[in-house]
Amino acid sequence: MKKLMISVLVGTAMLLTVGCNAEEKEVHDISINVGSTEEAAAEEEKSVDAAKLASDLVENIKYTDQISEVDLDTAKMFLNFADVDIEEAYIYESSGATAEEVVVLKCKDSDSASKAKTAFEQRVEEQTENFTDYVPEEVPKLKDAVIITSKEYAILSVSADSGKAKDIIEGAFK
């Protein structure tokens, strides 16, 4: 009887864990509506040009501060990428006078992209705390920060035009 009860409890715990993990992945992925199975298969194979996406975000959004490219090693000092397996990274930071930044990552897999998303959320939270007293005018940009993951990609955009950032990012995945 004891063994049966333990088996039932372990089985229930496993089902709950699997269910929670599946739900988490759905929440973080961009949904792309496609009409047919063939189109869906083609969409699965589509690769996003991470360098072009980063360039589009930098060039097509107006920033109040000049943003400059930062190498991955430098970015690791202020972004917690310890557990993130990154294949490509395009990172742009402001001078520090504003909270503006762009980070486009192509990770090894969706698990690493999810970990990058968590690092982005922590970054936005920390920046919000820092800018609240330092430059409170920047806080609305942080509250509207765009953080999107899709497949192995993780993107962060902090600007005064989050709507345009979303459009550019979603356009890259179509």
Side-chain angles (χ1 to χ4, degrees), residues 106-126:
K106 180 178 181 189
C107 302
K108 178 183 174 189
D109 53 30
S110 61
D111 184 49
S112 280
S114 180
K115 290 175 183 175
K117 178 184 182 293
T118 300
F120 292 160
E121 291 168 341
Q122 289 172 348
R123 169 71 172 169
V124 168
E125 186 178 307
E126 289 169 2

Side-chain angles (χ1 to χ4, degrees), residues 2-78:
K2 249 185 182 178
K3 288 182 182 181
L4 177 62
M5 191 61 128
I6 290 173
S7 296
V8 169
L9 289 173
V10 169
T12 303
M14 288 175 62
L15 285 173
L16 288 173
T17 302
V18 171
C20 290
N21 287 340
E23 184 178 324
E24 183 177 315
K25 289 180 184 173
E26 289 176 11
V27 170
H28 304 304
D29 289 343
I30 291 176
S31 297
I32 301 172
N33 296 326
V34 277
S36 71
T37 308
E38 291 171 7
E39 290 173 357
E43 192 62 46
E44 282 295 315
E45 296 173 12
K46 183 177 190 251
S47 180
V48 172
D49 184 342
K52 182 177 180 340
L53 173 55
S55 176
D56 286 348
L57 287 167
V58 169
E59 293 172 10
N60 295 313
I61 294 175
K62 183 175 168 95
Y63 297 94
T64 54
D65 193 6
Q66 182 169 344
I67 59 172
S68 304
E69 192 165 10
V70 176
D71 65 84
L72 182 58
D73 289 333
T74 302
K76 285 181 179 180
M77 287 187 245
F78 56 86

